Amino acid sequence: MSSVLNNKHLISRAGFGVSINQINNMEDWTPQKLSDVLFRNYNFTEITYQTPDFVKTETDDPKLIANQKRRQLKTFQKQNEELNLNFLMNMVHNEDQLLEKMAFFWHGHFATRINNSQFNQQLLNFIRKNALGNFKDLLIGVSKSPAMLNFLNNQQNKKDHPNENFAREVMELFTLGRGNYTETDIKELARAFTGWSYDKDGNFQERKKQHDNRDKTFLGKRGNFNGDEALKIILEQKTTAKFITEKIYRFFVNEIPDKSIIDKLSTDFYASDYDIKGLMKNIFTSKWFYDEKNIGNRIKSPTELIVGMMRILPMEIKNPENIVVYQKLLGQMLLYPPNVSGWPNGKSWIDSSSLMLRMQIPQIWSGIRPMEYSAKEDDDMDMGMKSREALNKSFKNPNIIIDWKKVENTFKDKKPENYIIINSGNINMESVKQFSDSDKIKAIINMMSTPEYQLM
C-alpha cells in the first residue's frame, strides 16, 4: 500500500486529489509515470464568462446614473460568479492538475479583490497561463495588470503625490518578505512606479507625465529607475528566491519549514532564473517529499476540500451557483480573498462551526442530511451588493445528482485497505470495514465525513 499512499500524496499535493477515473490506475502507476503525467505539456484554455457586458447609455440624470451603476455592479457580480465557478470546475476536470493547483496558489499569493469582472478574467487567465512558467514574467505581468494596479491604488501614484500601497505589498507579500527592505526602499520604489496605470479597456499604460524621473536609491543601487528596472533589482536579490521557495514549500510540502531543504531549493531556483516548473519538479521528485512527516499533515483549504469531493464523486450540479454559497460559508470564495495577504492556511480553516459543516457536506450533497446553515450578511465580502435573497437562495440543497452506480462499480472489487485512496492513511480501518462489504456507498460517505478526511 505504500506505493498507493505515495501516489495519492503526490496527486493530492500537486493537484486536487484522486479522481474517480484514476482509482483503478493507482496501484499500477510508478512515481516516474505519475510525474510524467503531471509535467506533460497540455493545451491551455482560457476561463470566460457568458453573461453579457452591461452597456451604459449617456445621461446627465443623477437617478439614472445611480441606477446604471447598480445594474453594472449586478452584471459584474454575475460575471465574477461565472469566473469563480469555471475556475473551480477547471480544478475538478482539467487533466492539467498541476497547472490548476499552481494557479490556485498564485491566486492567493497575488491576491486582488475588485468588482470589474473583465479585469478579474484578464488576471486569472494570465496567472493560469504563467503558473508554471518563469516567476519574473509572472511578477511583471501581474504588477502591470489593471486588477492589481486598481486594488492597490497605483493609478493614484503620481510624481507629486506618491502612493506607497503597491510598492509596499510588492516587497512585503510578493517578493522579498518583511524585514528585507527599509521604509526608504518603499518610498523609492513607489517613485519608480509613478505613472503606472491602465486605460478603460484594461491595457497597461505608462503615463510619463506622472512619472518621477529623478534619481532614486533603492536596495543599495542608485539611478533613474522606472518600474521595470526596480522589479529587476528585486529579482536580483537571492532573498526573493528564498521567500518564494519557502512559501511554496509551506503550501505544497509542510507548514513547518525545513531550512536546509529550502536553502538548496531556493539556490537552484535562483540559478534557474526563476523557473517555476523546475522548482516544482525538484520538490515532487525528491525522496524527502514522501517522508512520513510530510504526508497527511495539511488541513485542506475549503477549495481543496470541495474540489476533492467533486473529483471522487462524479456529479451533476443543477444549481452550481449554490457552490459559491458553500465557498462563502467555509470562508474561501475564489476571486474574493479577505485582503491583499490572501487566504490563511492550516488551523485557521477550522473552528467548531466550520469543522461540523465540512464533515456534513458529503451527507448534505448525498441528500442524507438537510442543509441547516445560513450565510451571514457580510458587506466586505459582498462588495457592496447586500441581498438576503442572494445570500440564502436555494440554500437547503445545491441540487446535486451523484452517479452512485459509477462509484459502486469503481470500488466493486476494492478491499477496505484500498479506501486510503480517498482518505489519509490514518483512517480507522474498522469504521471502513463495518460497511465496505455490504454498502460501499455508505462506507465512502462515512469516510468523507471524518476528521481525517480534512487532512491531505
Side-chain angles (χ1 to χ4, degrees):
M1 292 307 298
S2 61
S3 62
V4 174
L5 185 59
N6 284 347
N7 286 343
K8 176 194 171 295
H9 175 57
L10 178 56
I11 291 173
S12 298
R13 297 300 178 86
F16 293 91
V18 181
S19 78
I20 190 75
N21 299 321
Q22 292 175 316
I23 287 174
N24 289 325
N25 298 322
M26 290 294 287
E27 293 181 46
D28 300 328
W29 273 336
T30 63
Q32 182 59 53
K33 186 172 182 180
L34 189 49
S35 180
D36 290 343
V37 171
L38 286 169
F39 289 97
R40 185 184 300 160
N41 290 323
Y42 294 87
N43 292 327
F44 178 78
T45 303
E46 290 197 341
I47 289 173
T48 60
Y49 53 79
Q50 300 301 316
T51 301
D53 290 328
F54 175 76
V55 180
K56 287 184 179 179
T57 55
E58 293 297 323
T59 179
D60 295 325
D61 187 328
K63 288 185 178 180
L64 289 177
I65 292 172
N67 187 45
Q68 283 196 145
K69 285 183 178 179
R70 281 192 295 271
R71 286 163 57 201
Q72 185 177 47
L73 277 175
K74 208 165 186 178
T75 299
F76 282 154
Q77 187 181 32
K78 288 180 180 178
Q79 291 170 340
N80 283 326
E81 186 176 89
E82 278 193 72
L83 290 174
N84 175 313
L85 290 168
N86 289 339
F87 188 21
L88 192 79
M89 292 306 166
N90 262 49
M91 296 177 195
V92 176
H93 300 295
N94 192 355
E95 282 187 287
D96 198 348
Q97 281 285 286
L98 181 56
L99 176 84
E100 301 298 347
K101 189 63 171 282
M102 284 303 306
F104 175 57
F105 168 79
W106 294 123
H107 179 56
H109 180 77
F110 293 112
T112 62
R113 190 180 66 197
I114 63 170
N115 283 319
N116 192 306
S117 48
Q118 178 195 345
F119 295 173
N120 283 331
Q121 176 182 272
Q122 183 182 0
L123 178 58
L124 180 58
N125 283 317
F126 178 82
I127 285 175
R128 290 179 61 250
K129 193 170 186 178
N130 292 275
L132 285 165
N134 185 282
F135 181 71
K136 285 184 176 182
D137 298 334
L138 185 62
L139 173 65
I140 292 168
V142 170
S143 298
K144 291 183 174 181
S145 70
M148 183 62 74
L149 293 171
N150 178 304
F151 185 48
L152 294 181
N153 313 112
N154 205 74
Q155 71 271 36
Q156 283 101 43
N157 187 15
K158 302 172 183 178
K159 62 181 178 180
D160 296 326
H161 302 283
N163 185 304
E164 297 174 4
N165 284 5
F166 179 52
R168 183 181 299 276
E169 307 306 354
V170 163
M171 289 194 287
E172 179 179 333
L173 298 175
F174 304 158
T175 57
L176 292 165
R178 188 175 296 179
N180 295 306
Y181 54 88
T182 66
E183 285 296 314
T184 299
D185 288 325
I186 294 172
K187 295 180 186 299
E188 298 294 87
L189 182 57
R191 292 176 57 212
F193 285 137
T194 50
W196 273 30
S197 190
Y198 54 88
D199 63 22
K200 62 181 178 63
D201 296 318
N203 300 306
F204 173 73
Q205 282 189 335
E206 276 190 278
R207 295 176 176 169
K208 297 189 181 300
K209 290 183 179 179
Q210 301 297 342
H211 178 66
D212 185 339
N213 57 13
R214 296 169 296 171
D215 277 2
K216 307 160 188 76
T217 302
F218 176 60
L219 293 176
K221 293 196 172 186
R222 184 164 180 81
N224 179 16
F225 306 129
N226 59 25
D228 286 298
E229 292 164 335
L231 288 176
K232 184 179 179 183
I233 292 171
I234 289 174
L235 289 161
E236 288 170 358
Q237 314 301 309
K238 291 183 178 179
T239 309
T240 297
K242 186 172 182 179
F243 177 77
I244 298 300
T245 301
E246 180 171 330
K247 189 166 184 180
I248 285 175
Y249 181 93
R250 286 175 178 269
F251 184 87
F252 287 93
V253 184
N254 198 313
E255 287 188 26
I256 301 173
D258 185 311
K259 186 178 182 301
S260 61
I261 289 176
I262 290 170
D263 285 346
K264 176 66 168 65
L265 288 171
S266 66
T267 298
D268 293 345
F269 187 41
Y270 185 82
S272 74
D273 200 31
Y274 292 97
D275 176 15
I276 300 169
K277 182 180 277 190
L279 171 61
M280 303 315 295
K281 191 169 282 190
N282 276 349
I283 291 172
F284 294 135
T285 57
S286 296
K287 287 184 178 180
W288 50 256
F289 176 71
Y290 298 97
D291 287 349
E292 186 178 349
K293 68 178 182 179
N294 296 327
I295 297 178
N297 70 341
R298 281 196 64 238
I299 296 173
K300 295 173 183 175
S301 69
T303 298
E304 289 165 329
L305 180 72
I306 290 172
V307 173
M309 284 191 284
M310 289 181 176
R311 283 177 61 76
I312 205 74
L313 299 178
M315 60 181 69
E316 180 185 358
I317 306 172
K318 297 290 188 180
N319 301 90
E321 68 275 7
N322 290 342
I323 300 300
V324 177
V325 180
Y326 279 86
Q327 291 180 41
K328 180 168 185 176
L329 279 169
L330 294 172
Q332 188 173 45
M333 280 181 68
L334 298 173
L335 303 181
Y336 294 87
N339 51 55
V340 70
S341 297
W343 290 281
N345 286 310
K347 292 181 181 178
S348 58
W349 289 126
I350 301 290
D351 57 33
S352 57
S353 175
S354 63
L355 178 59
M356 189 62 66
L357 173 58
R358 288 167 70 112
M359 291 170 61
Q360 289 180 359
I361 287 176
Q363 299 166 42
I364 295 169
W365 287 6
S366 302
I368 297 172
R369 176 188 290 271
M371 178 60 161
E372 297 169 340
Y373 297 81
S374 61
K376 295 179 181 178
E377 197 167 17
D378 181 356
D379 192 49
D380 186 48
M381 186 173 280
D382 295 320
M383 307 285 282
M385 294 168 280
K386 295 182 180 180
S387 169
R388 275 288 171 191
E389 183 182 353
L391 288 175
N392 294 313
K393 62 185 177 182
S394 307
F395 221 68
K396 290 185 178 179
N397 198 321
N399 204 355
I400 289 173
I401 300 173
I402 297 173
D403 186 351
W404 289 116
K405 191 69 177 175
K406 183 173 183 178
V407 175
E408 205 165 22
N409 288 338
T410 301
F411 283 88
K412 186 176 181 180
D413 300 317
K414 297 287 183 291
K415 297 177 181 179
E417 305 86 68
N418 294 99
Y419 282 51
I420 64 167
I421 291 170
I422 59 173
N423 213 321
S424 74
N426 302 319
I427 190 69
N428 181 351
M429 293 310 303
E430 292 305 314
S431 65
V432 178
K433 291 175 182 177
Q434 184 179 355
F435 297 109
S436 57
D437 291 332
S438 59
D439 193 338
K440 293 184 182 296
I441 290 174
K442 195 168 186 178
I444 290 167
I445 295 173
N446 279 6
M447 285 190 68
M448 298 176 80
S449 304
T450 61
E452 290 86 356
Y453 188 75
Q454 310 305 312
L455 300 173
M456 60 180 288

